[in-house]
Amino acid sequence: MSAATRRLTTAQALVRFLSAQYTERDGVRRRLITGTWGIFGHGNVAGIGQALVEYADVMPYHQGRNEQAMVHAAVGHARQLNRLSAQAVTTSIGPGATNLVTGAALATVNRLPVLLLPGDYFASRVADPLLQQLEHPAEADVSVNDTLRPVSRYFDRVTRPEALIPSALNAARVLADPAETGAVTLALPQDVQAEAYDWPEEFFAERVWSVRRPAPDPAELTAAAAAVRAARRPLIVAGGGVHHSEAEEALKALVDATGIPVASTQAGKGSLRHDHPADLGGIGHTGTAVSDELARTADLVIGVGTRYSDFTTASGTLFQNPDVRFLNLNITGFDAHKLAARTLVGDARTGLEQLAGALAGHRVEPSYEAEYRAGKERWERVVETAYRADDDTAVPTQTQVLGALDAVVGDEDVVINAAGSLPGDLHKLWRSRSPRQYHLEYGYSCMGYEIPAALGVQQAAPGTPVWALVGDGTYLMNPTEIVTAVQERLPVKLVLIQNHGYASIGGLSESVGAERFGTAYRHRAADGTFTGAPLPVDLAANAASLGMDVLRAKTVRELRNALAEARASDRPTCVYVETDPAPTAPPAEAWWDVPVAEVSAREAAVQARARYDSEAAGRRRHL
């Protein structure tokens, strides 16, 4: 071997390369890939598996139990670290690889980096077909890994060792670029993983990927400032980009100077502290009354780092002022141009700082400030009512569970959720104390995200109390990473809420005329109907069998005590509580479009369609 090359297998070279990649923003350097999650089988055990053993000193390994869950853990990790670091996930071929698809879609939808390394068929075709190989009669180069193409921001199948060099560089570039990031897939044929090659030493040198803060175009900035100055009822919609850019202080400075109020998407909640006088809470279908009232009358909506999902816009029915216009600050032109907006394409923090400078001396009218502050005070009374428990010996409602948790957490705690009825309750009611406290995955709203994501967050923030809020439906989807939490000694806190069914979809089913069909866990009688008795399923016992400490709470008082005990624990701990199923959360303040049967013989569906047609009539195309 010459001094300029190093003979390694392709898998060994990839692990060495990844261990030498860094990001740098604002003068702070971080590892790009902080570790690798893996479940081994044929397709990666002799390649990536052997390489991780070979280089265990430079690439930490984390053992997962479910491939989808490993991606969720990596995504939670990346989000906690503001997309400046990521993790890799390796799987076998076949079902191990296809189990990555849901997690990959979640990462890409949420613009969060994760590196996927699934095994693949033999590039040499010496063994064909393989165990678990999908044979496509017309396209021999297709494998099940091709299912990852549409959900990846970058995809390559590395069919020769030397092809890894440009592929790995492109993978790192996309992972580190805030305008392009998402799931990155390098499909690795198992024979190529084990094949040796003389690699140039330069491939393994430390490489720093600069995470840029591009400034908006000066002409766009001038036009944006003029639009804000002309507006009488401006409203900022803070999205996840505020957090990813670490732009919270820049947002606060702009708001303090101008008095413009802020409503937040699920990803953007916590951009301002809940007690800031201009923080109006969530917006859209799950938003607060004050946010949605102002949204309906706003004449300028300033989107910062948001992609304007249908929940945010109430399916196009929220922004009703005939003269409303949009101004969007976003790192990508794709998102900045939504809703026919004026654009500020650039980094959120840089853009907010420059916009604040261009607006020096400008402030909204005092009457507008007084209006939204009064609305905020009214909503705070709604929150207090939802949280309050007048009888400490009663079975808690779901909102009282949130109230009890609110009383226990500190500013540094992280609260994670993703699906069910909890996201709506949290978006309306939760009092975010710090930028990273509120961790809602609602771009993909994936059941089963919460527990593995808590592991990734805990790895990123050791010593921080991390809470996974999980309903019974979500728990049954993906509890397996509890075992990993026990193995890795990650003291995550699980709040497991049992209401014996799919509460969110049950309510939605009723509202659209589907009569709550298939949304409860009940005994089936001999005639095929469901009885009122819940199934004898003990989820707390299941969590305990997987190694968690379990605290059962039957009353509000017991719940408060259990939450405090869990927070103080240095072991993975589950607080299990059965809740009163009666809805206590404030109703939705805005619509969400779920199409209803246009014709039906059932009266419930006929009435639901009439309501649907009435709401849909308010939809607008913002052009």
Side-chain angles (χ1 to χ4, degrees):
M1 183 179 71
S2 71
T5 62
R6 190 186 312 186
R7 192 163 182 79
L8 302 173
T9 69
T10 303
Q12 291 165 356
L14 178 57
V15 171
R16 289 298 303 184
F17 170 84
L18 293 174
S19 70
Q21 305 305 300
Y22 294 84
T23 63
E24 185 173 88
R25 187 169 72 180
D26 303 330
V28 179
R29 180 181 295 195
R30 300 170 178 83
R31 277 279 295 263
L32 174 60
I33 302 298
T34 64
T36 298
W37 290 88
I39 296 175
F40 296 110
H42 88 102
N44 70 336
V45 66
I48 293 292
Q50 189 281 328
L52 289 171
V53 173
E54 188 98 7
Y55 297 118
D57 58 330
V58 294
M59 180 57 68
Y61 165 69
H62 310 295
Q63 185 178 41
R65 267 72 193 179
N66 174 280
E67 291 87 356
Q68 177 181 317
M70 293 194 297
V71 186
H72 293 337
V75 167
H77 186 82
R79 177 170 170 173
Q80 181 68 20
L81 296 174
N82 297 318
R83 304 193 298 198
L84 297 170
S85 291
Q87 292 178 320
V89 177
T90 180
T91 72
S92 62
I93 73 168
T98 51
N99 279 352
L100 296 173
V101 174
T102 297
L106 181 148
T108 296
V109 165
N110 286 285
R111 316 321 199 234
L112 292 166
V114 60
L115 176 60
L116 308 179
L117 305 174
D120 214 323
Y121 57 57
F122 281 72
S124 63
R125 311 290 176 84
V126 294
D128 186 60
L130 306 175
L131 174 66
Q132 300 177 329
Q133 179 179 340
L134 173 72
E135 295 182 90
H136 196 292
E139 297 176 282
D141 63 341
V142 168
S143 83
V144 296
N145 286 338
D146 288 278
T147 60
L148 288 160
R149 288 182 183 271
V151 294
S152 297
R153 292 290 287 165
Y154 179 80
F155 178 99
D156 195 13
R157 179 175 286 114
V158 183
T159 57
R160 291 183 58 85
E162 60 266 36
L164 177 66
I165 294 176
S167 185
L169 289 167
N170 275 319
R173 174 186 59 81
V174 173
L175 289 168
D177 189 336
E180 292 194 46
T181 199
V184 168
T185 300
L186 299 183
L188 303 171
Q190 55 185 299
D191 54 344
V192 176
Q193 288 183 48
E195 188 175 343
Y197 182 74
D198 293 328
W199 302 89
E201 283 289 349
E202 292 86 350
F203 186 53
F204 307 118
E206 286 191 3
R207 191 178 302 268
V208 179
W209 301 88
S210 177
V211 181
R212 297 178 292 275
R213 291 193 179 276
D217 179 83
E220 286 192 341
L221 181 63
T222 298
V228 176
R229 289 182 180 276
R232 297 178 63 83
R233 300 181 65 82
L235 174 66
I236 293 172
V237 176
V242 175
H243 295 310
H244 300 326
S245 179
E246 299 176 290
E248 297 89 0
E249 287 301 315
L251 176 64
K252 181 177 182 297
L254 173 68
V255 170
D256 288 344
T258 64
I260 301 173
V262 176
S264 301
T265 69
Q266 286 279 17
K269 193 172 170 75
S271 294
L272 290 181
R273 264 188 68 101
H274 74 94
D275 52 4
H276 190 286
D279 179 65
L280 307 183
I283 190 171
H285 177 63
T286 53
T288 68
V290 59
S291 285
D292 288 351
E293 287 166 6
L294 259 67
R296 292 185 180 97
T297 60
D299 56 1
L300 180 68
V301 178
I302 306 167
V304 183
T306 178
R307 63 190 187 91
Y308 287 111
S309 76
D310 61 340
F311 259 57
T312 298
T313 67
S315 300
T317 64
L318 186 58
F319 305 109
Q320 286 296 322
N321 187 325
D323 300 319
V324 67
R325 292 295 181 265
F326 296 83
L327 167 64
N328 292 336
L329 168 59
N330 205 290
I331 193 71
T332 70
F334 174 78
D335 288 314
H337 280 88
K338 288 177 177 175
L339 303 178
R342 290 185 181 275
T343 60
L344 278 175
V345 178
D347 172 70
R349 192 175 85 180
T350 301
L352 287 169
E353 290 171 347
Q354 293 194 357
L355 185 59
L359 291 172
H362 174 73
R363 193 169 184 88
V364 300
E365 295 178 1
S367 60
Y368 185 49
E369 284 193 75
E371 177 188 343
Y372 71 67
R373 290 189 182 201
K376 178 180 174 66
E377 290 178 4
R378 288 194 298 273
W379 187 256
E380 185 58 31
R381 291 194 288 273
V382 172
V383 175
E384 290 290 348
T385 299
Y387 278 3
R388 186 172 59 245
D390 294 324
D391 182 1
D392 279 0
T393 64
V395 173
T397 65
Q398 183 162 285
T399 58
Q400 289 168 350
V401 172
L402 299 184
L405 184 61
D406 175 79
V408 167
V409 300
D411 288 9
E412 68 276 20
D413 293 38
V414 179
V415 175
I416 301 172
N417 187 239
S421 57
L422 277 166
D425 293 358
L426 287 159
H427 200 206
K428 293 186 189 84
L429 303 173
W430 188 258
R431 297 160 168 162
S432 297
R433 296 159 166 79
S434 60
R436 276 284 161 236
Q437 181 169 88
Y438 188 87
H439 184 127
L440 258 286
E441 188 291 296
Y442 217 59
Y444 211 49
S445 186
C446 185
M447 296 179 72
Y449 171 82
E450 297 90 339
I451 295 173
L455 273 60
V457 171
Q458 192 75 82
Q459 288 175 330
T464 297
V466 178
W467 302 84
L469 274 56
V470 178
D472 46 15
T474 287
Y475 180 86
L476 288 169
M477 286 276 185
N478 203 0
T480 56
E481 300 318 294
I482 288 174
V483 177
T484 302
V486 173
Q487 179 181 29
E488 299 274 334
R489 299 181 180 179
L490 297 171
V492 295
K493 294 90 173 61
L494 171 62
V495 180
L496 177 50
I497 299 173
Q498 171 69 281
N499 54 30
H500 301 287
Y502 301 108
S504 172
I505 298 303
L508 177 62
S509 173
E510 185 173 27
S511 73
V512 299
E515 304 175 47
R516 292 185 176 265
F517 178 76
T519 63
Y521 306 147
R522 303 291 179 185
H523 283 284
R524 187 186 291 272
D527 62 0
T529 61
F530 288 94
T531 69
L535 295 173
V537 175
D538 190 339
L539 299 183
N542 179 263
S545 75
L546 297 178
M548 271 198 143
D549 293 345
V550 175
L551 306 171
R552 295 177 184 258
K554 295 182 179 180
T555 67
V556 173
R557 182 184 299 122
E558 290 177 1
L559 174 64
R560 290 174 182 152
N561 293 337
L563 291 171
E565 184 177 344
R567 189 174 188 273
S569 177
D570 61 359
R571 282 184 38 79
T573 303
C574 170
V575 176
Y576 174 84
V577 57
E578 294 198 34
T579 55
D580 183 337
T584 52
E589 298 290 338
W591 188 56
W592 182 41
D593 189 348
V594 178
V596 177
E598 194 167 2
V599 295
S600 175
R602 299 184 70 86
E603 184 60 24
V606 172
Q607 293 181 9
R609 181 67 195 197
R611 292 192 299 270
Y612 176 85
D613 289 338
S614 175
E615 294 283 2
R619 185 189 287 112
R620 293 182 62 184
R621 292 282 189 185
H622 296 285
L623 302 171

